[in-house]
């Protein structure tokens, strides 16, 4: 992170109020690394991932890393792997991943910057292509109320359909 004292001083000298927006990316900005990897490893250890999903994820990871593809297809593969899961169960499961892994990935300086913005009454937003379950517990831990993210489709019975309701990279 840049010179944190200078950044906090800039925030402290900025106008107060919710008309000032502070937007933070999630992976690699608020946390050190990628939440999708933590969620993937957690699911892999629990035997919740098929061989087909592992192969598709590896293929799409290579496409992103080596070929410059955006993360859209990799997101779709991950979301598809959640098909049939109860959305409330997913939220509980995601909080477990947060407490076991993601919380330890949070950059200390990120917390300081978010707190400085909140003290000024700024509107603080996490904007990420990650899914809401990946982000929600971290946002709550930081006191962030606003999230712009990839939303997973939920059917009338509260189950994830395996489809993306809205992919943030397409919405922007």
């Amino acid at each position: 992170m840049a010179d944190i004292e200078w950044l906090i001083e800039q925030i402290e000298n900025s106008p107060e109020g919710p008309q000032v927006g502070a937007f933070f990316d999630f992976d690699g900005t608020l946390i050190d690394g990628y939440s999708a990897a933590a969620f993937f490893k957690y699911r892999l250890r629990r035997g919740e991932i098929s061989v087909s999903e592992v192969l598709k994820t590896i293929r799409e990871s290579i496409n992103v890393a080596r070929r410059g593809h955006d993360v859209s297809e990799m997101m779709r593969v991950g979301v598809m792997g959640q098909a049939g899961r109860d959305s409330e169960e997913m939220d509980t499961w995601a909080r477990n991943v947060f407490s076991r892994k993601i919380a330890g990935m949070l950059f200390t300086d990120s917390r300081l910057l978010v707190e400085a913005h909140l003290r000024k009454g700024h509107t603080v937003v996490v904007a990420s292509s990650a899914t809401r379950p990946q982000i929600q517990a971290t946002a709550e831990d930081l006191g962030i109320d606003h999230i712009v993210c990839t939303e997973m489709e939920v059917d009338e019975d509260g189950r994830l359909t395996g489809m993306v309701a809205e992919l943030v990279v397409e919405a922007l």
Side-chain angles (χ1 to χ4, degrees):
M1 199 88 10
D3 182 6
I4 190 69
E5 291 83 16
W6 181 84
L7 290 171
I8 291 174
E9 182 180 321
Q10 297 302 303
I11 296 167
E12 289 171 350
N13 292 327
S14 69
E16 290 187 19
Q19 74 280 1
V20 176
F23 290 77
F24 291 89
D25 182 35
F26 185 57
D27 294 307
T29 301
L30 289 176
I31 64 170
D32 184 9
Y34 295 93
S35 59
F39 277 81
F40 184 84
K41 288 176 188 174
Y42 188 79
R43 288 181 59 220
L44 193 60
R45 281 190 216 109
R46 292 174 48 124
E48 296 180 357
I49 297 180
S50 68
V51 172
S52 173
E53 185 180 348
V54 169
L55 294 174
K56 288 176 185 175
T57 301
I58 290 169
R59 181 186 70 225
E60 291 309 319
S61 296
I62 291 168
N63 284 337
V64 170
R66 304 256 160 103
R67 296 185 178 109
H69 293 193
D70 68 31
V71 298
S72 301
E73 188 58 31
M74 190 163 56
M75 290 297 301
R76 284 187 178 91
V77 170
V79 169
M80 199 177 310
Q82 302 301 323
R85 184 184 292 267
D86 180 83
S87 63
E88 289 181 16
E89 173 193 313
M90 177 64 164
D91 292 341
T92 301
W93 179 86
R95 289 181 190 292
N96 191 18
V97 175
F98 168 76
S99 66
R100 292 175 182 260
K101 184 65 177 169
I102 305 294
M105 297 167 66
L106 187 65
F107 283 119
T108 303
D109 288 352
S110 295
R111 183 177 299 281
L112 296 173
L113 289 173
V114 168
E115 288 171 350
H117 280 291
L118 291 173
R119 281 194 304 275
K120 295 294 283 191
H122 296 163
T123 299
V124 181
V125 180
V126 178
S128 175
S129 62
T131 63
R132 185 169 298 275
Q134 288 173 262
I135 299 169
Q136 186 71 48
T138 303
E140 289 173 3
D141 182 64
L142 292 171
I144 299 172
D145 295 328
H146 306 283
I147 299 172
V148 176
C149 64
T150 297
E151 298 288 358
M152 296 188 289
E153 186 177 85
V154 179
D155 69 16
E156 61 279 347
D157 296 324
R159 297 212 167 271
L160 300 172
T161 66
M163 302 298 290
V164 172
E166 183 175 5
L167 190 61
V168 77
V169 295
E170 292 174 350
L172 299 176

